[in-house]
Amino acid sequence: MYFRSVQFYKHLILIAIALVVLASIGSCALLAVSNHQMKKVLKENGLALTGENAASFSPAKKQTEAQRLYYPASFDYQQLYPNLFIDNDYNYLPDQPHSVYLTFDDGPSSLTSQILDILKKYHIKATFFIVYNDSPEAQVLYKRMIAEGHTIGVHSTTHQYQTIYRSAGAFLDDFAQTALMLEQSTGVKPEIFRFPGGSINSYNKAVYPQIIAEMLRRGYTYYDWNVSADDATGGATRQQIYSNVINEVQKYDRSIVLLHDLSNKTDTASALPAIIDKLTEEGYSFYPLTKEVRPVAFNYID
Ligand SMILES: [Zn+2]
């Protein structure tokens, strides 16, 4: 019988070999055509299929979806402002018990010298987070702050949330102008800063991890607050500002107090002596922020 005969098996082997040969020739031809087409496309686009380019067509080089999510397209902002780095080779000081850090945002203004007078009278050092102002009057105030032992930190140049929080690069552009202006005015490089609106706010949800990481990488320390005088929006009376601060400070062993020294914050200035008197009476001490002071920062998961 033909099926089962030696001859049948011989034919079967020959057919198999023929099929393998035909398949190989066919796929070689297909590869040649596609290679030719690829070369044509590359040539049209001014490229050549060198070893390097050829390797980049490897599927292994493709970014996965997870990589695209976690790594932004570019870290170019890390190259911006190479002088914006602070020595971060230090340790935090031990926490001062019963400590209050008064901080004034958005100045300097015509009110600032009045606040400096009050602080001087009480021998208290505080912190000023500055909005860009390079007028001669402002420069006099910066020098006075340094001379009288206060700390100057960067707040913002434009204080416009939509501009600052567009990207990490936009934030650095804004930060750099005020940092440089303050260094030129006082000869002291600012080492700490406060984010306009706080480190995490409704304007920077998409970029705050990137901005915070970049600023920490550069050695800067930022301070949010755990006590607010609630004097930012208009309407708070002298008595309300006083109560807000006194009631809140009593909840913590160390308080970073948010106040403002814009020219219209006269109630803040007039509440200040009573706030200092009351807290001193209750055993609190006042200190300026420096980078060695352990920060108070909003929780990422809020
Ligand atoms: Zn502000």
Side-chain angles (χ1 to χ4, degrees):
M1 251 171 86
Y2 179 67
F3 299 108
R4 308 267 172 120
S5 68
V6 174
Q7 212 177 12
F8 166 74
Y9 286 112
K10 273 185 183 170
H11 288 159
L12 201 64
I13 289 164
L14 281 173
I15 288 165
I17 290 169
L19 281 171
V20 168
V21 169
L22 279 172
S24 304
I25 291 168
S27 49
C28 281
L30 276 171
L31 275 174
V33 169
S34 68
N35 190 35
H36 176 74
Q37 279 173 342
M38 187 182 280
K39 275 184 180 168
K40 208 173 138 192
V41 170
L42 289 168
K43 206 176 162 191
E44 280 164 4
N45 288 287
L47 296 163
L49 191 60
T50 64
E52 209 179 82
N53 286 331
S56 72
F57 281 93
S58 153
K61 290 248 173 173
K62 273 190 180 169
Q63 269 197 324
T64 64
E65 187 61 28
Q67 283 172 328
R68 270 197 298 278
L69 280 173
Y70 285 102
Y71 300 103
S74 162
F75 283 110
D76 287 352
Y77 59 83
Q78 293 185 343
Q79 311 298 324
L80 296 170
Y81 308 106
N83 293 327
L84 281 190
F85 278 86
I86 296 297
D87 165 32
N88 58 2
D89 185 20
Y90 62 91
N91 294 315
Y92 292 137
L93 294 167
D95 288 352
Q96 297 279 3
H98 255 48
S99 51
V100 176
Y101 299 85
L102 299 177
T103 67
F104 297 90
D105 285 17
D106 297 352
S109 75
S110 52
L111 196 72
T112 306
S113 60
Q114 199 182 319
I115 287 173
L116 284 168
D117 289 344
I118 296 167
L119 297 172
K120 192 177 181 181
K121 187 182 158 205
Y122 284 91
H123 306 289
I124 281 171
K125 317 284 181 231
T127 306
F128 292 85
F129 289 108
I130 303 296
V131 169
Y132 190 98
N133 184 341
D134 62 351
S135 68
E137 297 80 11
Q139 302 213 14
V140 168
L141 289 167
Y142 303 142
K143 289 187 185 108
R144 182 176 168 194
M145 289 168 186
I146 299 282
E148 295 182 359
H150 306 295
T151 301
I152 293 182
V154 173
H155 194 33
S156 181
T157 299
T158 64
H159 209 286
Q160 307 240 321
Y161 297 168
Q162 285 94 337
T163 310
I164 301 166
Y165 296 129
R166 222 170 33 217
S167 66
F171 181 84
L172 283 168
D173 287 341
D174 180 86
F175 180 91
Q177 289 182 66
T178 298
L180 195 67
M181 180 276 294
L182 289 171
E183 188 179 353
Q184 283 170 349
S185 301
T186 63
V188 179
K189 195 169 182 168
E191 297 180 321
I192 65 170
F193 70 103
R194 173 167 283 152
F195 285 101
S199 61
I200 301 172
N201 56 63
S202 50
Y203 293 87
N204 71 4
K205 284 205 165 73
V207 290
Y208 77 77
Q210 211 174 346
I211 297 177
I212 289 174
E214 177 62 2
M215 294 308 284
L216 296 180
R217 186 183 76 87
R218 288 171 182 258
Y220 290 96
T221 308
Y222 67 93
Y223 292 85
D224 287 317
W225 56 89
N226 55 358
V227 172
S228 171
D230 279 339
D231 63 341
T233 46
T237 64
R238 177 182 176 280
Q239 183 57 42
Q240 284 166 338
I241 291 167
Y242 172 86
S243 306
N244 290 340
V245 175
I246 300 301
N247 295 340
E248 287 296 303
V249 164
Q250 286 168 347
K251 294 181 187 167
Y252 306 98
D253 199 39
R254 53 195 296 273
S255 298
I256 297 186
V257 184
L258 173 67
L259 299 140
H260 294 83
D261 63 330
L262 279 167
S263 58
N264 61 349
K265 304 296 174 193
T266 49
D267 285 322
T268 302
S270 67
L272 198 54
I275 290 172
I276 295 169
D277 278 335
K278 178 71 174 164
L279 293 178
T280 307
E281 194 186 300
E282 296 197 358
Y284 291 92
S285 300
F286 297 87
Y287 302 94
L289 290 173
T290 64
K291 66 180 181 182
E292 291 85 8
V293 174
R294 194 169 58 87
V296 161
F298 297 157
N299 196 329
Y300 280 40
I301 311 156
D302 271 358

